[in-house]
Amino acid sequence: MEYLAGKYDVIVIGAGHAGCEAALAAARMGCRTLVLTLNMENVAFMPCNPAVGGPAKGHLVREIDALGGEMAINTDETSIQMRMLNTGKGPAVHALRAQADKKMYHVRMKKVLEMQPNLDLKQAMVERILVEGENIKGIVTRNGAVFHSRAVVITTGTFLKGKIIIGDVAYSGGPNGQEPSVTLAESLRDLGLSLGRFKTGTPPRIHRKSVDFSKMIIQPGDEKPYRFSFTGKPRLREQLPCWLTYTSEETHNVIRENLHRSPLFSGRIEGVGPRYCPSIEDKVVRFADKPSHQIFLEPEGRDTEEMYVQGFSTSLPEDVQVKMLRTIPGLAKAEIMRTAYAIEYDHLPPAQLKLSLETKTINGLFSAGQINGTSGYEEAAAQGILAGINAARYARGKEPLIIRRSEGYIGVLIDDLVTKGTNEPYRIMTSRAEYRLLLRQDNADLRLTEKGREIGLISDEQYGKFEEKRKLIEAEKERLAEVRIHPVEQVQEILVGKGSSEIKQNTSLLEILKRPEINYADLKKMAEGFPDLPEEVVEQIEIQVKYDGYIKKQMEQVERFQKIERKKIPEWIKFEEIKGLSSEARQKLGRIQPGSVGQASRISGVSPADISILLVYMEQKRRELSEGDQNK
């Protein structure tokens, strides 16, 4: 029997990485918020690798932090190893990656939710979405509890009609042996939303004591204390190493001999899997000429003996998994603690969403995370914070926050999903961003903190620290431009010693710093009067000065891009009535309903000729409306 259990401004279904960020954002913006989870032990759970960050993903984590989210802080507090990747390349692709303690990550995030004002955390299975006309009304749980709300955010991850597959064994289930959500998927279909089917998987976990590390290559963390959050302080931590080994030809033979037992190749798996995280059997088949593949052993936490076998995702039968593992150097006696599996699940094709992550057909219904066709904790959390922000703004009758492609990787991620859709689990990569040099991980706070402040997620204290950092950067750049050094012997020796050419006349320190081989520390040897600046300030000064020309070029590109991005397409335009558009363009424009000419230009199948016709049509309509107003 159903009963009214409560009324909220925002309800979040699911408490994974998307759900946590969505719920915290809405509550911190002053909305009375409810977050519902199938299992309290699954809050911010890491069913796959307990790692955060990496190329492009680390950028997302820092952008979440700049907007006022929690993932960066939670990772800093629970990490057991940190490394900066791609340091041999330019700053646009530098990427911080952390190995987190899986249990502690969950424990701390759950505590944050429990202690957050305006936020209620409850365990319940949501079975139905309530809609009145075209507006969201609330949800109904399996136990009959009815919760009304102005906005709902769905963040169900891979739980919608989840099916676990291990060899010829298949059963209904969610990640890590949890219960799936079946009825909710049917409720979404009943509301007119279309669902697709994707697949992902996870490797086995093995017992640390069964590993011979002497046959592997140690992968320690960086000695330098890093952090994801701009508001935290770098701290030294006891780091646990990861280990590198490789598959062997014997491993590949075991896989080939058992491909007939692989559900991936037998047709038992129907869902489309992630291109950039294939199973080991898929890698062996696709790259048949490759003699070996990297395998990383990564600890799951400080207080567990479980080791994650990175690079060894599989859905082969359990007995085959054991045989495969024991052909790998260092794993001859490996004991599996948790079996690898594939999981199929329903997802919501994201072309059904607006850039705010609100559905196009139901007002106040938002979705975020893997349900939108993405893979990865970071992609989920990035969508989560934006969906939570926009659900809160919707509940308050405010315009949504939209992050543009030129403003952040969050903008790239969401624009790609909504505008282009995805035929496979989407993964963010630096190559997807047109303006990589502007969207660096080191300047995420300079790009997005103002937005976080405007929407109410950045505190006075946080904003004060941010303003101080920004002022220090600008003040020191101005000082370096004013201080000029003479071509004296001491200066020339320093320059030559660094492999740089001598100066022939008085030169500003700013001009000297533009040289690739010279760093800020070198300037201190050439002149006096340097202020004591934080490391992150010095880092920004060096990058902004050295890449000034490239940054200006990208800024010019952004400005050209904004011209067509600012050309909004009125909601009343009917694309099927525009003569001259190709049939494909007419169909896709009608389905996606782009909000701007810029977004329309990025839709696959919409040509430059179609955009020209659209612009002419919009101008004609604008003049007709203008003339109509004048004749009244």
Side-chain angles (χ1 to χ4, degrees):
M1 184 173 176
E2 295 180 1
Y3 72 100
L4 183 59
K7 295 182 179 181
Y8 291 86
D9 297 314
V10 176
I11 292 176
V12 179
I13 304 172
H17 303 280
C20 288
E21 295 294 349
L24 287 170
R28 288 167 177 174
M29 290 170 68
C31 288
R32 186 159 184 252
T33 305
L34 170 66
V35 57
L36 297 163
T37 176
L38 288 173
N39 189 332
M40 286 290 190
E41 305 312 311
N42 276 4
V43 172
F45 183 66
M46 294 176 155
C48 205
N49 192 359
V52 174
K57 291 173 175 279
H59 294 63
L60 286 177
V61 177
R62 285 198 158 157
E63 290 179 3
I64 292 165
D65 184 67
L67 288 172
E70 194 68 26
M71 177 174 257
I73 298 170
N74 210 55
T75 303
D76 288 346
E77 290 295 320
T78 61
S79 69
I80 55 179
Q81 188 195 95
M82 281 196 177
R83 296 178 69 187
M84 187 67 76
L85 308 180
N86 297 332
T87 52
K89 301 178 182 179
V93 293
H94 288 180
L96 187 60
R97 182 185 186 274
Q99 196 73 16
D101 186 305
K102 180 163 74 174
K103 181 180 178 181
M104 293 312 299
Y105 192 95
H106 148 74
V107 168
R108 186 190 176 278
M109 187 68 87
K110 180 170 178 278
K111 189 69 173 178
V112 170
L113 292 179
E114 291 171 337
M115 299 304 292
Q116 176 61 46
N118 298 321
L119 182 61
D120 291 341
L121 172 64
K122 297 180 185 291
Q123 179 170 300
M125 167 78 79
V126 176
E127 293 203 328
R128 210 154 30 95
I129 305 291
L130 296 178
V131 173
E132 198 169 72
E134 295 180 349
N135 301 313
I136 198 74
K137 186 178 180 183
I139 59 96
V140 182
T141 73
R142 181 164 58 185
N143 294 341
V146 177
F147 293 99
H148 287 169
S149 66
R150 298 176 183 176
V152 169
V153 185
I154 306 174
T155 66
T156 49
T158 60
F159 281 84
L160 278 188
K161 298 189 79 171
K163 183 168 82 170
I164 302 297
I165 304 168
I166 305 169
D168 56 4
V169 176
Y171 55 89
S172 181
N176 202 41
Q178 296 299 310
E179 187 178 6
S181 176
V182 177
T183 315
L184 181 58
E186 299 307 323
S187 177
L188 294 175
R189 281 195 174 90
D190 291 343
L191 293 174
L193 295 168
S194 65
L195 297 177
R197 196 76 171 158
F198 275 172
K199 165 256 175 187
T200 188
T202 189
R205 273 65 159 181
I206 61 176
H207 200 296
R208 184 192 300 267
K209 289 182 180 177
S210 68
V211 178
D212 183 357
F213 293 107
S214 68
K215 292 185 169 68
M216 298 181 176
I217 305 166
I218 192 168
Q219 304 286 297
D222 290 348
E223 292 183 9
K224 183 178 179 179
Y226 289 111
R227 72 187 192 280
F228 274 107
S229 177
F230 291 100
T231 57
K233 292 182 179 179
R235 61 185 178 86
L236 292 171
R237 56 175 66 79
E238 180 191 354
Q239 302 199 74
L240 301 183
C242 298
W243 301 85
L244 171 64
T245 184
Y246 294 86
T247 60
S248 64
E249 187 58 36
E250 189 181 354
T251 314
H252 299 185
N253 287 335
V254 171
I255 292 171
R256 293 187 192 104
E257 289 167 4
N258 288 279
L259 283 178
H260 64 286
R261 301 181 66 192
S262 167
L264 187 66
F265 292 97
S266 67
R268 290 193 198 97
I269 290 179
E270 299 173 2
V272 181
R275 177 190 303 264
Y276 301 102
C277 188
S279 64
I280 187 64
E281 57 265 37
D282 197 20
K283 285 191 277 190
V284 168
V285 171
R286 282 166 54 189
F287 308 106
D289 58 334
K290 199 167 183 181
S292 63
H293 296 279
Q294 286 186 334
I295 301 294
F296 288 94
L297 250 64
E298 300 173 327
E300 293 225 323
R302 296 188 188 280
D303 300 318
T304 178
E305 295 301 302
E306 286 186 83
M307 300 287 286
Y308 182 91
V309 189
Q310 169 74 356
F312 210 74
S313 178
T314 182
S315 57
L316 281 162
E318 192 172 283
D319 61 303
V320 179
Q321 293 184 30
V322 174
K323 288 179 184 176
M324 290 192 299
L325 281 171
R326 292 181 177 175
T327 62
I328 296 172
L331 300 183
K333 298 180 179 179
E335 289 293 338
I336 292 178
M337 297 179 73
R338 301 194 200 209
T339 307
Y341 61 85
I343 180 170
E344 281 189 342
Y345 57 95
D346 280 358
H347 79 283
L348 192 71
Q352 299 170 94
L353 305 174
K354 302 175 185 177
L355 289 171
S356 62
L357 295 180
E358 183 184 17
T359 59
K360 292 173 180 175
T361 54
I362 301 170
N363 300 322
L365 179 62
F366 298 78
S367 69
Q370 279 187 274
I371 186 176
N372 287 348
T374 58
S375 66
Y377 311 139
E378 303 86 352
E379 289 91 338
Q383 293 170 73
I385 191 169
L386 199 79
I389 289 167
N390 286 331
R393 291 179 71 83
Y394 175 87
R396 294 290 169 82
K398 296 182 178 179
E399 288 295 309
L401 171 69
I402 306 297
I403 307 291
R404 296 192 296 267
R405 296 183 71 90
S406 58
E407 294 177 320
Y409 273 86
I410 295 177
V412 174
L413 164 69
I414 294 174
D415 186 66
D416 276 355
L417 290 172
V418 172
T419 305
K420 302 175 183 177
T422 182
N423 296 320
E424 60 191 35
Y426 176 100
R427 177 179 180 173
I428 193 68
M429 294 181 288
T430 54
S431 60
R432 297 191 191 273
E434 303 93 317
Y435 311 110
R436 290 190 292 278
L437 192 52
L438 300 181
L439 308 183
R440 307 182 310 276
Q441 62 156 15
D442 59 81
N443 70 349
D445 58 336
L446 299 175
R447 292 186 277 115
L448 295 175
T449 298
E450 289 286 359
K451 290 184 182 294
R453 174 69 169 176
E454 288 169 14
I455 58 180
L457 289 178
I458 299 296
S459 67
D460 291 343
E461 181 182 358
Q462 289 173 301
Y463 192 69
K465 290 179 179 177
F466 164 72
E467 279 196 312
E468 178 64 19
K469 175 182 175 179
R470 189 163 56 180
K471 288 176 183 175
L472 287 174
I473 293 168
E474 294 308 315
E476 182 60 1
K477 282 167 62 180
E478 289 176 9
R479 192 188 73 84
L480 293 176
E482 292 171 359
V483 176
R484 305 181 75 81
I485 55 173
H486 309 294
V488 296
E489 184 178 350
Q490 178 191 356
V491 170
Q492 308 291 37
E493 286 179 356
I494 294 170
L495 291 172
V496 172
K498 293 288 291 189
S500 190
S501 58
E502 296 181 349
I503 56 174
K504 295 182 171 55
Q505 58 190 17
N506 293 351
T507 308
S508 73
L509 290 175
L510 194 75
E511 287 299 317
I512 297 289
L513 187 57
K514 286 182 179 181
R515 301 183 178 193
E517 61 276 5
I518 302 297
N519 57 40
Y520 188 81
D522 296 324
L523 300 184
K524 290 184 175 182
K525 301 172 186 176
M526 302 178 193
E528 297 179 347
F530 277 79
D532 185 18
L533 297 174
E535 186 176 347
E536 62 265 26
V537 171
V538 172
E539 178 186 38
Q540 280 306 303
I541 292 168
E542 287 193 341
I543 292 173
Q544 290 181 22
V545 170
K546 290 184 183 300
Y547 292 90
D548 181 58
Y550 298 104
I551 290 172
K552 284 179 178 175
K553 284 182 180 178
Q554 288 221 329
M555 290 298 290
E556 290 170 2
Q557 291 172 357
V558 168
E559 184 53 38
R560 289 195 296 271
F561 162 77
Q562 292 301 342
K563 286 181 180 179
I564 64 166
E565 205 66 26
R566 282 193 285 264
K567 290 184 182 296
K568 301 301 179 186
I569 300 175
E571 291 184 1
W572 46 260
I573 280 190
K574 296 180 179 179
F575 297 103
E576 66 272 14
E577 296 179 357
I578 305 177
K579 296 178 181 178
L581 285 179
S582 68
S583 57
E584 182 180 5
R586 194 178 292 113
Q587 178 188 18
K588 290 186 174 179
L589 288 167
R591 178 169 58 89
I592 295 171
Q593 293 291 316
S596 70
V597 176
Q599 187 186 1
S601 70
R602 293 189 295 277
I603 297 173
S604 174
V606 177
S607 69
D610 292 320
I611 295 299
S612 297
I613 291 167
L614 175 61
L615 286 168
V616 170
Y617 179 83
M618 286 171 58
E619 180 60 21
Q620 287 174 344
K621 284 293 182 183
R622 185 190 67 79
R623 290 178 180 176
E624 288 174 11
L625 290 171
S626 178
E627 290 171 1
D629 290 339
Q630 290 174 7
N631 294 331
K632 283 183 180 179

